[in-house]
Amino acid sequence: MAQYSILTDLNRCVGCMSCMVACKAINDVPIGNYWNKILRIGPYKREDYQTPNDVDMYYLCVQCQHCADPKCVAVCPTKASQKMEDGTVQIDKSKCIGCQFCVMACPYGVRYLNEEERVVEKCTMCEQLIAQGGLPQCVVQCGGRARFFGDLDNGIESFEAPDIAYIADRDNNDFSYDQLYTGNRITFGELAEEYNQDTDVHRLPDAGNEPSFVYVLRGREWKGAE
């Protein structure tokens, strides 16, 4: 059994919100709702703070963490919320009764009730794309090349993103926009700046659900636990 996940290199994220826009567009997310939110963390004082210039900030993307032990699945009375073989958490809308127990059980507040359809929705990690060997839309459209997709069982160094150097070469006769989804990729291990596995790799707070998404942050104080 795999555990698909998304890694975000927070030092590379510029807060452009392309991932939010791309997600809403491809998944037809209603106005006022989000499958992926970008939070500004800070500005906050550094440990060596002496002047108003001694501050840090970064952007933190929050969405369904496709947890290893999702509490939303445990509380669903109709088994509409399911943990799949690829590690993602999906919702069978035909079984959802809109009770919102899962919304209340989620520690990250990333589920919502679609008022028109009366079913709960959230990030699917673009299952319609990854099932065909593609990448989630938020990974494809990341302007800072900060987001990577992969299987935690294979280690975060293997996580992949589109190879922008290839995509930017419009004179390449082999180029097609399909390559954004299925080919010419670069791994986090190949692209990432040096990081410390013990101090720079983070997860959102674990409420017993074991969130799967990974965040890398170097040289700044991690505030994700707050």
Side-chain angles (χ1 to χ4, degrees):
M1 181 173 177
Q3 180 58 67
Y4 285 162
S5 172
I6 291 176
L7 176 152
T8 307
D9 188 334
L10 300 180
N11 295 93
R12 295 183 66 92
C13 178
V14 297
C16 67
M17 299 188 182
S18 292
C19 55
M20 287 179 60
V21 175
C23 175
K24 287 179 72 71
I26 196 172
N27 294 300
D28 196 24
V29 180
I31 293 176
N33 295 307
Y34 302 89
W35 289 12
N36 178 24
K37 298 179 181 180
I38 304 300
L39 307 180
R40 188 186 71 183
I41 307 300
Y44 57 88
K45 295 179 180 179
R46 300 174 184 165
E47 292 183 359
D48 60 351
Y49 179 85
Q50 293 183 349
T51 74
N53 293 324
D54 297 330
V55 297
D56 275 329
M57 66 166 283
Y58 61 91
Y59 296 97
L60 178 67
C61 44
V62 178
Q63 63 202 89
C64 174
Q65 299 291 294
H66 294 273
C67 305
D69 185 17
K71 301 309 176 187
C72 55
V73 172
V75 301
C76 181
T78 64
K79 300 189 183 304
S81 289
Q82 305 170 7
K83 178 74 172 176
M84 312 304 288
E85 287 297 316
D86 60 9
T88 64
V89 177
Q90 305 296 343
I91 301 172
D92 184 340
K93 290 187 176 182
S94 68
K95 295 180 179 180
C96 181
I97 58 176
C99 67
Q100 300 183 71
F101 287 169
C102 61
V103 175
M104 293 180 280
C106 176
Y108 311 113
V110 293
R111 286 177 171 239
Y112 67 92
L113 180 69
N114 183 317
E115 297 287 352
E116 183 176 341
E117 298 184 22
R118 302 303 299 175
V119 296
V120 170
E121 295 181 334
K122 66 168 192 68
C123 161
T124 64
M125 214 185 299
C126 289
E127 63 170 338
Q128 74 276 23
L129 297 178
I130 62 177
Q132 301 177 63
L135 297 169
Q137 188 77 355
C138 61
V139 173
V140 170
Q141 298 295 340
C142 178
R145 191 50 57 236
R147 294 170 74 86
F148 299 79
F149 168 79
D151 184 349
L152 282 178
D153 291 346
N154 297 328
I156 63 175
E157 295 282 311
S158 68
F159 279 40
E160 296 179 324
D163 186 348
I164 296 300
Y166 175 86
I167 293 169
D169 182 7
R170 295 294 190 264
D171 294 328
N172 190 314
N173 293 328
D174 295 330
F175 174 82
S176 75
Y177 281 94
D178 290 341
Q179 300 294 350
L180 285 169
Y181 300 95
T182 60
N184 297 293
R185 299 178 181 177
I186 191 168
T187 67
F188 178 66
E190 292 172 318
L191 185 63
E193 296 179 9
E194 185 177 352
Y195 66 96
N196 186 302
Q197 182 71 38
D198 297 324
T199 60
D200 299 335
V201 179
H202 307 279
R203 308 281 181 98
L204 291 188
D206 187 352
N209 48 294
E210 300 181 46
S212 76
F213 279 28
V214 179
Y215 302 90
V216 174
L217 180 66
R218 312 164 192 80
R220 299 176 193 170
E221 184 180 355
W222 169 250
K223 297 284 188 178
E226 301 174 9

